[in-house]
């Protein structure tokens, strides 16, 4: 089973509309001849329109970094999945480590956001991953199991089949410390076997599981050559068109 590689850039709280437009325009040029690879970027909500306009016709999907569980109402400061869809988003990034650990989002809330995103026609990209103390305590599989079980709770098989997963060990995010290809592959293989047992072989075979955490052009090819790593979710190195294009090239290597 071959899964089409998927490279996604999480711009986090960087790049206002002008900077997002500039990076989008550069990506459009640099990724024009990238071949058979899916690419998405996740700007801050205020820069979604600018990113869409700058990348128009380039086959680059745009996603929202977070959504609220309700579609409308008295929820000052939030963005809904329906509005992100209307603004032109394809994906919703959910359960990112910073949402979990800086903003205190629970597994259950993230699961509600998965449902809200699907109801609005957005494709969820669900992030999971353990902290360093959890890894040191031998709890990696237990944490991943819990985050998947609750994050995907109540979805039909067909709905689970639309979800992209991103394994991002918290200790590797923004630290320059990348999981070794073997460490990442071990967890990706666990995720795939969990999908097979919990749902169905076709879901395990078709679900793309991206790796995130200090991915750079210099380490992308080795990580992406692992059998169960189908792409990358990139933070810091996604803020430069040169390094992001280098990672996309690594997916072809
Ligand atoms: P870095 O690539 O900066 O480590 O960030 C990873 C990440 O959090 C992507 O969502």
């Amino acid at each position: 089973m071959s899964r089409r590689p998927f490279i996604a850039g999480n711009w986090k709280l960087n790049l206002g509309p002008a900077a997002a437009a500039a990076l989008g325009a550069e990506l459009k040029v640099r990724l024009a001849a990238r071949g058979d690879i899916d690419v998405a970027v996740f700007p801050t909500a205020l820069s979604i329109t600018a990113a869409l306009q700058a990348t128009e016709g380039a086959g680059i999907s745009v996603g929202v970094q977070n959504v609220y569980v309700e579609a409308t109402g008295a929820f000052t400061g939030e963005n809904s999945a329906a509005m992100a869809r209307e603004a032109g988003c394809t994906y919703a990034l959910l359960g990112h480590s910073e949402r979990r650990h800086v903003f205190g989002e629970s597994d259950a809330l993230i699961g509600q956001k998965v449902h809200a995103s699907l109801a609005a026609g957005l494709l969820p990209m669900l992030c999971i991953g353990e902290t360093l103390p959890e890894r040191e305590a031998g709890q990696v599989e237990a944490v991943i199991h819990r985050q998947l079980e609750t994050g995907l709770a109540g979805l039909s098989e067909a709905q689970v089949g639309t979800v992209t997963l991103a394994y991002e060990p918290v200790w590797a995010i923004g630290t320059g410390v990348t999981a070794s290809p073997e460490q990442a592959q071990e967890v990706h293989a666990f995720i795939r076997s969990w999908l097979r047992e919990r749902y169905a072989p076709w879901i395990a075979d078709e679900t793309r599981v991206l790796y995130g955490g200090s991915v750079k052009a210099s380490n992308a090819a080795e990580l992406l050559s692992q059998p169960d790593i189908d792409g990358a979710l990139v933070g810091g190195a996604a803020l430069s068109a040169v390094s992001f294009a280098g990672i996309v090239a690594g997916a072809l290597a």
Side-chain angles (χ1 to χ4, degrees):
M1 166 57 60
S2 75
R3 292 170 293 271
R4 198 176 148 93
F6 191 174
I7 307 296
N10 173 9
W11 294 354
K12 307 194 181 187
L13 185 51
N14 297 292
L15 310 182
L23 179 56
E26 216 185 320
L27 289 176
K28 183 172 178 173
V29 174
R30 287 192 182 271
L31 299 180
R34 68 180 179 273
D36 229 11
I37 295 182
D38 288 334
V39 173
V41 295
F42 292 85
T44 164
L46 292 171
S47 297
I48 285 169
T49 302
L52 276 163
Q53 287 171 349
T55 57
E56 196 177 350
I60 296 173
S61 300
V62 174
V64 63
Q65 292 178 10
N66 177 38
V67 299
Y68 190 55
V69 295
E70 301 290 347
T72 58
F75 306 106
T76 302
E78 294 295 301
N79 294 300
S80 73
M83 290 177 191
R85 183 81 193 103
E86 184 186 338
C89 287
T90 304
Y91 290 94
L93 192 63
L94 303 170
H96 189 275
S97 138
E98 288 139 26
R99 297 303 315 171
R100 293 176 187 270
H101 299 291
V102 181
F103 299 98
E105 292 193 4
S106 67
D107 293 318
L109 179 68
I110 293 159
Q112 289 176 7
K113 292 183 174 192
V114 171
H115 281 266
S117 297
L118 285 168
L122 292 175
L123 298 172
M125 183 178 288
L126 175 63
C127 304
I128 54 179
E130 82 286 356
T131 63
L132 189 57
E134 287 166 342
R135 173 165 281 264
E136 287 172 348
Q139 294 169 348
V140 176
E141 293 190 358
V143 169
I144 299 295
H145 169 85
R146 189 198 73 228
Q147 291 175 338
L148 286 173
E149 191 67 60
T150 314
L152 301 175
L155 299 187
S156 67
E157 262 187 24
Q159 286 175 316
V160 174
T162 69
V163 176
T164 301
L165 297 174
Y167 170 58
E168 298 203 298
V170 179
W171 47 271
I173 295 177
T175 58
V177 179
T178 316
S180 69
E182 296 73 25
Q183 281 175 320
Q185 165 58 25
E186 189 179 11
V187 179
H188 282 237
F190 170 75
I191 293 167
R192 210 171 298 288
S193 67
W194 185 88
L195 289 170
R196 181 170 287 108
E197 279 165 35
R198 177 69 176 77
Y199 295 102
W202 75 266
I203 290 181
D205 289 342
E206 291 183 16
T207 298
R208 289 185 293 188
V209 186
L210 315 188
Y211 168 79
S214 298
V215 177
K216 309 183 266 281
S218 57
N219 61 24
E222 202 187 359
L223 284 160
L224 293 166
S225 68
Q226 299 297 311
D228 291 300
I229 300 181
D230 306 312
L233 179 56
V234 185
L239 298 176
S240 137
V242 173
S243 60
F244 191 69
I247 293 167
V248 171
L252 280 177

